[in-house]
Each structure stands twice: as structure tokens, then as C-alpha cells.
Amino acid sequence: MATTTYTVKGMTCGHCVSSVKTEIGKIDGVTSVDVDLATGAVRVDSTEPVTDAAITAAVDEAGYEVAV
């Protein structure tokens, strides 16, 4: 199992959190996504390592951006 944490910018409400969780959750191998709205921290648990590009693309699809 792999766990990676990202910071996502632009989330302001529960709907934002839900959108990010849904899009990241669609990535093959992802088992859970935890989002802290206050800090923008997104923890992704997966059965195998997930590429940063896949996470960035999913967050972009949700309408937000991963802080670099």
C-alpha cells in the first residue's frame, strides 16, 4: 500500500472536497482519499504508487490545482 499527500489550492466548501475526492477516487488503484478543507491537504491511499501526473490531472478535472 502507498500513501501520498498533496496540497490542493482553490477549495472553499464541502462540494469542492467532494469533487476532488470523486475525481481522484476514479484513478485505478486508489483505495481512499481524505481531504482537509482548512489546509488543502489531500491524502491518497492506493494499492500501488500513483503518478503525480495522474493526481494532477484528476484535480484539474475537478476544477482545482495541485500546489507545487
Side-chain angles (χ1 to χ4, degrees):
M1 185 169 233
T3 300
T4 312
T5 303
Y6 299 88
T7 301
V8 174
K9 299 190 303 186
M11 297 184 297
T12 59
C13 65
H15 177 72
C16 301
V17 169
S18 179
S19 295
V20 169
K21 287 177 79 167
T22 298
E23 291 301 325
I24 294 175
K26 292 178 183 177
I27 299 170
D28 287 341
V30 171
T31 56
S32 73
V33 181
D34 292 316
V35 179
D36 183 331
L37 178 60
T39 64
V42 177
R43 190 183 84 219
V44 179
D45 294 326
S46 57
T47 55
E48 56 196 47
V50 176
T51 66
D52 291 342
I55 298 295
T56 299
V59 170
D60 185 60
E61 182 67 26
Y64 307 96
E65 79 179 273
V66 174
V68 183

